[in-house]
Amino acid sequence: MGIRGVIALLGALAIFLFGMSTMTSGLEKLTSGKLASLLEKLTDNIFKGVLLGAAVAGMVHSSAATTVMCIGFVNAGILKLRQAVGVIMGANIGTTITAQILRLGGLSDENLFLALLKPEMLGPLTAFVGILFFSFFNSGRKKTVGQILIGLGLLFIGIKSMESALAPLTELEAFQHLFIRFSNPVLGIAVGAAITALIQSSTASVAILQALSASGVVTFSTALPIIMGQNIGTCVTAILSSIGASRNAKRTAAVHLYFNVIGTVFFLVVLYGLNALIGLPFWQDTMDYGSIANLHSFFNIACTALLLPFNRQLVSLVEWTIPDSGAADPVATVLDPRFLSTPSVALERARTVVLQMGELAKNNYHLAVELLSHYDQKQLDLLNEQEEALDHMESSLDQYLVQLSRHSLDDKGSDLVSDLLHALSDFERIGDYVVNLSESATALNDAALSFSPKAQAELDSLCAAVGEALNQVLEAYRAHDAYAAFQVEPLEEVVDLITAALRERHVERLKTGECTVEVGTQFLELLTNLERISDHCSNAAVRVIHQAAEKGSLVRSDIHAYLHQLHQGGSPQFDQLFAQATEKYYQPIS
């Protein structure tokens, strides 16, 4: 096999891996992350977990990818370690589906229908249909179907190209003698593990073995240890993924490794022992595409059946080998980089952090308002501590969303990334203005100053209106409630009305000497910061409305024009809510 043959083999492997990646990406888009979300919801039972793991791995054609997804969920605290065990076991079964699809390469050419199902025919046809869908349909779903078909076609083309590239090699007598040596279980397992670890895909390494089987050099005794080694080699991806993750995430990767190692050792001892004692009649049988696919499936199903009853003991083993250690950064665990490969899940995790930021900002707001009437240094320390956490969340989430935006997102996903970036900025700015409120409270306390009863009543009414706006924004984000978000803008308009009126009244009090300059300065500072908090509540709320609105609506195309229309009497519902808020907050102090 010369340099041209090596280059042809590498090219064929690249086509196969790219096809698998393209098809997997398309399937993830088509399901909008629903498969990943199911992992979160349907793992309360070990048997459900196995079935779910098999389904997800079958769809994404990778047990490693499914395990990495599990590591991300465990790292984020969504799944418990015991829940992940069943999914990992099932993933090993689901990943065998690709080999079963590729067994079509072993079909005969007796009739046209069977010939069309062979990879050399089915691959180009599938890819051609896929490129038609991908090129001529603009709608997201049909275009994604085209992407899946292109990936599937490249998968078939790649396996056939590998078979052709390996054909000259398998005819060499030296290679045939070398391959016989792989019947040594230690060498066979080592080779299978090394190749799989190198290309980080047991599916691809099984496909290479299937391509080699076309030459007739692969026997059961050589295929068995190689397939066992491939199961161990695929654990490398999960182990690499767990680096820098939480303790339980590392344990999840260890479950994947221990499961495959224990299964391999058990069946190695049993099968080689039986062959030594009684001689297995199929030991030297020649393998083809179908028999390799069946062996791959049988081995993984048998390992699952063997270890499923001992799932609790498996968890205990990894907990013993990876003991407890220090706590991890809670924000980093939620914004796990492993979710970036599944954008819909990553976006939901980002929404979770945005909501947490909003809750912190709201808590700090109530602390600051309380400080204005009852100053407490401990409460101020808590406020500052939570503000630091808010800044940390903003920085981490901003970087996470920027990374996510570089992945393949549909239009809806791109819009949501943009809206979340705006929302996190709004909540962070609310936090900053709340700190300004606390600084005014500190200045008043240090100088032993206080507002007149009338000024205090006015300020209380304004604070209550801003507080309701904050509550409505968080309810909108928590429940995806567009109506709760819609109620914020009328409140913001009332806040503007109140602050304008209070400024005029306070200037009059300064003129008449009812209020000192020192107190007046702090009062005006408070009005400015409260008004800006209200403005950012409005900005955050309209992003929820933007996400919920139908395509073609004004708020989808131009948010500023939408708000202008509301303010100019374009919505009777808005006018009614404005009147109610005016009656509740402005009229009592007018």
Side-chain angles (χ1 to χ4, degrees):
M1 188 178 187
I3 186 66
R4 290 187 178 182
V6 173
I7 292 173
L9 177 60
L10 292 175
L13 181 60
I15 292 171
F16 182 88
L17 291 173
F18 181 71
M20 189 164 62
S21 174
T22 302
M23 182 171 62
T24 298
S25 176
L27 286 166
E28 287 177 350
K29 287 181 185 176
L30 193 65
T31 57
S32 300
K34 291 174 185 174
L35 290 177
S37 299
L38 282 173
L39 287 176
E40 179 183 347
K41 297 175 182 176
L42 299 179
T43 50
D44 56 326
N45 178 285
I46 187 72
F47 297 103
K48 285 183 185 178
V50 171
L51 293 174
L52 193 59
V56 174
M59 289 294 287
V60 301
H61 294 268
S62 174
S63 61
T66 308
T67 303
V68 167
M69 204 182 297
C70 274
I71 290 171
F73 281 128
V74 172
N75 192 51
I78 299 170
L79 285 184
K80 294 180 180 178
L81 180 61
R82 293 186 186 278
Q83 292 175 296
V85 173
V87 178
I88 291 170
M89 290 181 175
N92 271 30
I93 297 173
T95 194
T96 65
I97 188 66
T98 308
Q100 294 293 345
I101 293 173
L102 295 177
R103 72 182 299 163
L104 295 173
L107 293 175
S108 67
D109 297 324
E110 292 179 359
N111 61 58
L112 180 61
F113 177 73
L114 291 177
L116 288 174
L117 291 178
K118 291 178 72 67
E120 59 264 37
M121 297 289 286
L122 189 59
L125 285 173
T126 306
F128 179 73
V129 173
I131 201 66
L132 291 178
F133 270 75
F134 193 80
S135 300
F136 295 106
F137 289 109
N138 293 323
S139 66
R141 199 168 186 83
K142 291 178 181 177
K143 197 177 186 73
T144 302
V145 169
Q147 179 182 340
I148 294 168
L149 292 175
I150 291 170
L152 183 60
L154 290 176
L155 203 70
F156 286 130
I157 293 169
I159 186 67
K160 205 61 191 175
S161 299
M162 278 195 285
E163 183 181 316
S164 300
L166 288 167
L169 181 66
T170 57
E171 292 172 1
L172 297 175
E173 187 176 349
F175 177 79
Q176 293 175 9
H177 286 305
L178 176 65
F179 209 80
I180 291 172
R181 296 182 64 184
F182 292 160
S183 59
N184 178 308
V186 176
L187 181 60
I189 289 172
V191 169
I195 293 174
T196 305
L198 182 64
I199 60 179
Q200 294 200 13
S201 172
S202 63
T203 301
S205 59
V206 171
I208 293 172
L209 188 62
Q210 286 179 297
L212 279 169
S213 72
S215 65
V217 300
V218 181
T219 63
F220 181 89
S221 62
T222 55
L224 177 64
I226 291 174
I227 287 175
M228 288 178 170
Q230 288 165 344
N231 272 32
I232 295 173
T234 195
C235 299
V236 170
T237 306
I239 291 170
L240 292 174
S241 175
S242 69
I243 295 174
S246 68
R247 178 188 67 256
N248 274 338
K250 290 183 174 68
R251 288 172 173 173
T252 306
V255 166
H256 191 214
L257 176 64
Y258 292 177
F259 170 71
N260 285 306
V261 169
I262 292 170
T264 294
V265 170
F266 178 83
F267 284 104
L268 195 68
V269 172
V270 170
L271 291 174
Y272 277 84
L274 285 173
N275 186 59
L277 290 173
I278 61 174
L280 297 175
F282 51 80
W283 198 252
Q284 295 301 329
D285 285 359
T286 301
M287 306 288 280
D288 58 16
Y289 274 76
S291 55
I292 287 175
N294 290 339
L295 177 59
H296 189 214
S297 298
F298 173 79
F299 175 67
N300 284 289
I301 292 170
C303 285
T304 300
L306 171 70
L307 292 173
L308 187 60
F310 303 101
N311 64 88
R312 293 183 181 276
Q313 288 77 9
L314 190 60
V315 170
S316 298
L317 176 62
V318 297
E319 288 176 342
W320 177 70
T321 53
I322 304 177
D324 291 340
S325 59
D329 177 6
V331 178
T333 58
V334 175
L335 300 178
D336 196 312
R338 297 165 190 81
F339 293 137
L340 292 173
S341 60
T342 311
S344 58
V345 178
L347 284 168
E348 193 56 37
R349 305 314 297 161
R351 281 192 80 263
T352 299
V353 176
V354 167
L355 183 58
Q356 290 174 351
M357 288 179 66
E359 292 287 355
L360 275 180
K362 185 184 81 168
N363 291 343
N364 272 3
Y365 174 76
H366 290 303
L367 286 173
V369 171
E370 183 68 19
L371 288 172
L372 289 170
S373 55
H374 301 90
Y375 192 81
D376 185 336
Q377 184 61 44
K378 289 183 179 179
Q379 295 293 81
L380 179 62
D381 292 341
L382 176 60
L383 185 151
N384 289 326
E385 182 181 325
Q386 292 185 159
E387 171 60 19
E388 288 181 9
L390 193 60
D391 289 340
H392 173 56
M393 285 181 174
E394 189 268 342
S395 175
S396 299
L397 183 54
D398 183 72
Q399 294 176 22
Y400 191 77
L401 288 172
V402 169
Q403 291 177 34
L404 180 58
S405 66
R406 295 172 185 153
H407 286 68
S408 179
L409 297 171
D410 56 19
D411 291 342
K412 186 177 180 181
S414 297
D415 277 350
L416 184 53
V417 167
S418 176
D419 286 341
L420 289 175
L421 282 168
H422 281 92
L424 73 91
S425 176
D426 286 319
F427 285 131
E428 194 274 334
R429 294 300 294 152
I430 288 171
D432 290 342
Y433 290 124
V434 166
V435 170
N436 292 346
L437 296 181
S438 71
E439 290 174 351
S440 291
T442 301
L444 290 167
N445 180 73
D446 291 347
L449 300 173
S450 61
F451 299 123
S452 65
K454 187 174 183 180
Q456 186 64 53
E458 293 170 342
L459 191 61
D460 289 344
S461 185
L462 178 58
C463 288
V466 174
E468 184 178 345
L470 258 174
N471 289 337
Q472 291 292 351
V473 169
L474 289 176
E475 178 59 27
Y477 272 91
R478 188 181 299 109
H480 301 266
D481 189 342
Y483 181 67
F486 182 78
Q487 295 178 69
V488 174
E489 190 60 26
L491 284 166
E492 196 277 331
E493 284 293 287
V494 171
V495 168
D496 288 347
L497 180 66
I498 294 174
T499 52
L502 295 191
R503 282 193 182 97
E504 291 181 6
R505 294 178 195 176
H506 206 66
V507 170
E508 289 300 319
R509 285 196 289 267
L510 285 170
K511 289 179 179 179
T512 60
E514 294 179 56
C515 181
T516 65
V517 174
E518 288 178 301
V519 174
T521 300
Q522 294 302 327
F523 189 83
L524 293 175
E525 277 290 315
L526 289 170
L527 294 184
T528 298
N529 287 303
L530 287 166
E531 184 178 23
R532 288 175 180 171
I533 290 171
S534 175
D535 289 339
H536 285 287
C537 286
S538 169
N539 294 342
V542 79
R543 292 290 164 180
V544 177
I545 299 171
H546 176 261
Q547 278 299 313
E550 296 180 357
K551 284 187 177 181
S553 59
L554 181 59
V555 70
R556 294 284 295 179
S557 58
D558 191 335
I559 288 176
H560 295 293
Y562 164 76
L563 293 174
H564 180 74
Q565 184 185 69
L566 291 181
H567 298 162
Q568 297 302 313
S571 169
Q573 189 178 34
F574 175 89
D575 295 339
Q576 181 183 0
L577 290 170
F578 176 75
Q580 291 172 357
T582 302
E583 182 180 357
K584 183 176 181 180
Y585 295 112
Y586 180 69
Q587 289 184 4
I589 59 172
S590 60

